[in-house]
Amino acid sequence: MDKEEQLNKKELELQKRLENISNMEKEILTKEKKLKEKEKAKKQVLLRLSPSLWEEIAAWAEDDFRSINGQIEYLLAECVKKRKGK
């Protein structure tokens, strides 16, 4: 096999790899889009808390560098995980 044939073979291999990478990128973008759409679909809940509980959660959220809403969501998710583990 001469050098030109070797180069052509390598070029074909590289083109196939590039095509595979392009396909993977498209797949990743599709999955990211689906995840973003799923995140937007969060349900809203009206929650009434006592002022003292609110203050405790707010302080905890600040310690964990979260918003109060993020802290409540985190706590609920942890409780669900714990319950499923039983």
Side-chain angles (χ1 to χ4, degrees):
M1 189 180 290
D2 66 356
K3 287 191 178 202
E4 188 175 336
E5 288 176 339
Q6 288 177 340
L7 286 175
N8 287 337
K9 185 177 177 182
K10 286 239 184 227
E11 184 178 358
L12 285 174
E13 288 174 7
L14 290 172
Q15 285 176 345
K16 286 180 183 179
R17 290 170 79 185
L18 184 59
E19 188 176 321
N20 286 338
I21 290 170
S22 293
N23 289 337
M24 286 189 281
E25 285 177 338
K26 288 177 187 175
E27 195 175 318
I28 289 169
L29 289 173
T30 301
K31 288 180 181 181
E32 284 178 345
K33 184 178 177 183
K34 286 180 182 179
L35 283 174
K36 286 179 184 178
E37 288 173 1
K38 191 175 182 179
E39 282 297 308
K40 286 181 185 178
K42 287 186 176 185
K43 303 294 182 192
Q44 294 183 3
V45 177
L46 176 62
L47 179 64
R48 292 187 174 100
L49 302 172
S50 68
S52 60
L53 180 57
W54 177 265
E55 289 172 14
E56 289 291 329
I57 293 173
W60 194 357
E62 190 173 320
D63 290 344
D64 289 352
F65 302 104
R66 290 190 183 98
S67 66
I68 295 170
N69 191 64
Q71 187 71 14
I72 292 169
E73 187 176 357
Y74 168 78
L75 293 170
L76 289 171
E78 287 300 306
C79 288
V80 170
K81 284 181 194 174
K82 185 177 178 181
R83 183 173 187 266
K84 284 183 176 182
K86 286 186 175 182

